[in-house]
Amino acid sequence: MPELTEAGSTERQIVEILLAEGPATRLALQQRLGISRPTLSGAVTRLMGRGLLEETGMAAYGEGRNGRPQALLAPRRSAGAALGIELGRARVAVTVTTVDGTIHAQKLTTVDSGLSIQKRLGVALHSLRTLISAGVLNPSSVLGTGIGIAGRHLPSTLDGSGGTTDPEGVSFEKLRKLIPAPVLWDNNTQLAAVRHLGELTSGVGRAGLLYVVLSTGISAGIVDGASTFRGGHGTAGELGHMCVDPAGPSCWCGSRGCLEACIGLDVVIERARAAGLRVDDISGLAVLANDGDAAARHLVTEVGRTLGIALSGASMLIDPRRIILSGKLASLGPRLLDAAEREVNARRDAVMLPRPELILHEGSEFDASHGAALSALHRWGANFMFKTQSPDH
């Protein structure tokens, strides 16, 4: 590939920023890049002339802001699409986004938890063929595919030829034949965390995010800047196997007192029934607690306190500014949040450390597939746009 000229480098940086961080004004881009207004204006004019950028609404100013609102710039939606797939334990989700990150289509299929990853991929392929036959998805427009896989699967790595290897025991050959685009994969929780980047402001707002999924299993994604932190072996985020009680219940992993052995979704329901509460699912427990049932409230508080112990341990190590609590257990609501927050704050205050912000977010069944699509967009969006939309194309 020929070297970029200074002007070409500026154009590419603009596109990469907008792909990673969302729409921005000309002034924000100028300040972000540290370039003059004429340089920015010229680059934007050339990009719009090539059909790579478009104006999409006006910037929303806060109270007390005077002056004429500025137009927001974003990648042109018709320039391409990104595909995200989640091969979850009990679901297969597909999300298609346009090149500016807007959701174009989504499809969800419930599957048996015992289904192999390869068969779950087959379910995803069926969904993709349905979208293609309906004219919703054009395979040639896809710049890349992200795949979130439940369980311990290391992120995709380059092989000797510059391509990526498939996860152990899984083949993406049929996917590549159907959608001729590069593929990345990662743990589904890590990719779900990426989905929240678009809701955060650039700079300080993106530093130090801990995203926690509270379900039958408990996992976490750690975000710092514009990417997830994976650790030395690529397995960071195993919050569910943090020990919160050495003498606690046995976990399926063989250890005792793991967080998910103490407050996993099924465990909490069992604890509720042992306390004499007639509940079929976590929503029933939430209803009882909200209606003032003393036993239900006590259990929710205890679950929140145990969660807070684990979160305080994690926060001591990674110092997050924000902790997002997602998953089905998040439906236990403010009482769960308050108990967890009290535990975290007390332990942080004791050593005079700033308190992180805790937020409940019940989430969507498409969080991981959406995050997978955004990951593909961030990795390959600029290359795809400059290749397919160049003047010589």
Side-chain angles (χ1 to χ4, degrees), residues 194-212:
V194 173
R195 170 253 183 274
H196 289 276
L197 283 174
E199 299 176 349
L200 304 176
T201 57
S202 61
V204 68
R206 288 174 174 260
L209 166 69
L210 178 63
Y211 172 77
V212 181

Side-chain angles (χ1 to χ4, degrees), residues 299-334:
L299 176 57
V300 173
T301 298
E302 283 301 300
V303 169
R305 192 181 77 83
T306 302
L307 174 61
I309 291 172
L311 295 178
S312 64
S315 72
M316 294 296 182
L317 289 176
I318 65 174
D319 189 28
R321 290 178 178 270
R322 176 177 293 177
I323 299 174
I324 297 177
L325 303 178
S326 186
K328 292 185 178 180
L329 277 176
S331 65
L332 292 177

Side-chain angles (χ1 to χ4, degrees), residues 270-359:
E270 289 177 7
R271 289 175 62 180
R273 291 170 178 167
L277 299 172
R278 300 180 65 181
V279 296
D280 295 322
D281 52 30
I282 207 67
S283 298
L285 176 60
V287 170
L288 288 176
N290 291 335
D291 288 345
D293 184 285
R297 289 192 168 195
H298 176 75
L299 176 57
V300 173
T301 298
E302 283 301 300
V303 169
R305 192 181 77 83
T306 302
L307 174 61
I309 291 172
L311 295 178
S312 64
S315 72
M316 294 296 182
L317 289 176
I318 65 174
D319 189 28
R321 290 178 178 270
R322 176 177 293 177
I323 299 174
I324 297 177
L325 303 178
S326 186
K328 292 185 178 180
L329 277 176
S331 65
L332 292 177
R335 182 170 293 274
L336 173 81
L337 179 67
D338 291 346
E341 197 168 44
R342 283 196 302 272
E343 192 69 34
V344 171
N345 290 345
R347 293 170 183 266
R348 298 283 290 185
D349 290 348
V351 287
M352 295 179 288
L353 292 174
R355 296 177 173 182
E357 177 187 22
L358 269 66
I359 298 174

Side-chain angles (χ1 to χ4, degrees), residues 85 87 116-125 129 147 149 153 164-178 183 185:
I85 299 170
L87 305 179
S116 70
I117 297 175
Q118 193 69 53
K119 290 185 176 180
R120 279 179 266 169
L121 179 61
V123 173
L125 292 175
R129 293 188 184 102
I147 304 177
I149 308 175
H153 297 278
T164 56
T165 58
D166 292 347
E168 184 177 354
V170 184
S171 172
F172 292 154
E173 181 181 359
K174 290 183 178 179
L175 172 64
R176 292 188 177 95
K177 286 183 177 178
L178 183 64
V183 178
W185 67 92

Side-chain angles (χ1 to χ4, degrees), residues 83-88 91-96 107-111 115-132 137 145-148 172 174-175 178-179 369:
L83 176 62
I85 299 170
E86 181 192 13
L87 305 179
R91 66 171 176 251
V92 172
V94 172
T95 293
V96 182
K107 187 170 177 57
L108 181 71
T109 306
T110 301
V111 297
L115 209 62
S116 70
I117 297 175
Q118 193 69 53
K119 290 185 176 180
R120 279 179 266 169
L121 179 61
V123 173
L125 292 175
H126 178 75
S127 295
L128 294 177
R129 293 188 184 102
T130 300
L131 293 174
I132 292 170
L137 177 63
T145 301
I147 304 177
F172 292 154
K174 290 183 178 179
L175 172 64
L178 183 64
I179 307 290
S369 62

Side-chain angles (χ1 to χ4, degrees), residues 211-222:
Y211 172 77
V212 181
V213 176
L214 303 168
S215 189
T216 301
I218 297 175
S219 55
I222 304 166

